[in-house]
Amino acid sequence: MLSLILAFYNYSPLNPKPPFVGLQNFINLWSDQVFHKSFFNTLKFVAIAVSANLVLAVLIAVSINSIAKKFFKNFFRTLYFLPTIAPLVAVSLIWATMFDPNYGVVNMVLGLFGKHTMIYWLTSDRLALLSVVIVTLWADLGYNIVILMAGLDSIPKMFYEAARIDGANRFHTFWEITLPLLTRTLLFVSVMTVISYFQVFTQVQVMTNGGPDYSSEVLAFTIYKDAFRFMKMGYASAISVILLGVIMVVSVLQLKLGKADWEY
């Protein structure tokens, strides 16, 4: 609410009496090339990271859930969940070291497979945002896997037994039973993931600082820069209002499109 009010002022902590500017902060955004770039970077990041997260989380959750022995099932569930409890700043610092073009583990591993070209993961305008996506998936995937496994456990076994009697193979069982009956859990996971990824910040600040040439700058980082580096809090508040509006619209669309009206 405070951000919404500040968006109509030229507020700065250095000015005790900020002038009212109406919609000027929002008008200025239309000609701000940095805002345009960070806006489209955010959309690109959310589209790639959320899609990859959901596909990988579903596949891994189904694979772990198919393990018969409870010990190994719990082992893999814990293994995938562990990265989510690690501090994101520390994770980002470690991955930044691993992405080092000269001494990083990632390039060394690729070299073992014949890829000896030096890859500048964090300083290439084509790869910087992709590097942030990779780190985000590694750090965040386990959370969705655990929730999806809970959703898989809630599906009644009688549907699988009926499919087995009818001679359905694994793919048809997954496509016709598992996926449709997992839609409510998937809807919750996708909405929460989209909201979270629209606010991505830590990885960007630690690993790329928004560079090179704003290629990995996202809206949350632009808000931080304008508010605390350039002391343009009114302008930063206007960006945060835009971000809030985008999140609300996308979330409502997800809830509308993903609504399931079945019962079992």
Side-chain angles (χ1 to χ4, degrees):
M1 183 57 74
L2 183 59
S3 291
L4 183 60
I5 296 171
L6 289 180
F8 297 99
Y9 286 85
N10 188 15
Y11 178 76
S12 166
L14 305 177
N15 183 1
K17 293 182 179 177
F20 179 78
V21 294
L23 295 174
Q24 193 58 49
N25 285 328
F26 294 97
I27 294 170
N28 291 341
L29 288 175
W30 291 107
S31 57
D32 186 344
Q33 295 301 315
V34 175
F35 169 73
H36 293 171
K37 207 154 190 177
S38 67
F39 184 82
F40 286 111
N41 283 341
T42 305
L43 293 181
K44 192 195 300 182
F45 173 85
V46 171
I48 297 173
V50 171
S51 303
N53 188 315
L54 293 180
V55 170
L56 289 173
V58 168
L59 293 177
I60 295 172
V62 170
S63 301
I64 296 176
N65 207 52
S66 66
I67 298 174
K69 291 196 174 182
K70 192 176 179 181
F71 171 80
F72 290 110
K73 187 186 287 189
N74 291 335
F75 171 78
F76 284 110
R77 178 162 35 196
T78 306
L79 188 67
Y80 279 104
F81 189 73
L82 277 178
T84 65
I85 62 175
L88 201 47
V89 172
V91 168
S92 302
L93 285 171
I94 292 171
W95 272 95
T97 306
M98 291 169 65
F99 279 133
D100 186 277
N102 296 304
Y103 311 108
V105 174
V106 176
N107 278 356
M108 289 182 185
V109 171
L110 291 176
L112 295 176
F113 294 95
K115 188 75 175 177
H116 294 293
T117 305
M118 193 175 290
I119 301 175
Y120 295 88
W121 292 94
L122 303 180
T123 53
S124 163
D125 57 358
R126 291 184 301 107
L127 296 176
L129 193 64
L130 177 63
S131 305
V132 175
V133 170
I134 293 171
V135 174
T136 304
L137 290 176
W138 185 88
D140 195 52
L141 198 59
Y143 179 74
N144 285 349
I145 290 173
V146 169
I147 295 176
L148 288 170
M149 287 187 69
L152 289 170
D153 288 337
S154 69
I155 298 175
K157 298 290 182 283
M158 61 180 180
F159 294 117
Y160 293 111
E161 291 167 3
R164 197 177 304 117
I165 292 170
D166 289 342
N169 59 30
R170 286 189 176 185
F171 175 77
H172 284 112
T173 303
F174 171 77
W175 193 255
E176 301 292 343
I177 296 176
T178 303
L179 212 50
L181 297 184
L182 202 60
T183 48
R184 286 177 177 165
T185 310
L186 272 172
L187 177 62
F188 171 77
V189 165
S190 63
V191 170
M192 297 305 292
T193 306
V194 165
I195 292 173
S196 170
Y197 284 7
F198 262 116
Q199 302 171 72
V200 60
F201 171 76
T202 305
Q203 306 93 302
V204 174
Q205 188 198 21
V206 174
M207 295 174 61
T208 66
N209 206 27
D213 192 24
Y214 306 106
S215 62
S216 63
E217 180 151 333
V218 290
L219 284 177
F221 188 70
T222 305
I223 293 169
Y224 161 76
K225 276 198 327 182
D226 283 327
F228 299 107
R229 289 187 186 175
F230 307 138
M231 294 298 169
K232 298 190 299 183
M233 293 211 172
Y235 192 67
S237 297
I239 301 175
S240 66
V241 170
I242 297 290
L243 177 59
L244 175 65
V246 172
I247 292 174
M248 288 178 66
V249 169
V250 174
S251 299
V252 169
L253 282 176
Q254 284 182 282
L255 293 172
K256 196 90 174 173
L257 296 174
K259 187 179 178 183
D261 53 0
W262 45 259
E263 297 287 345
Y264 59 76

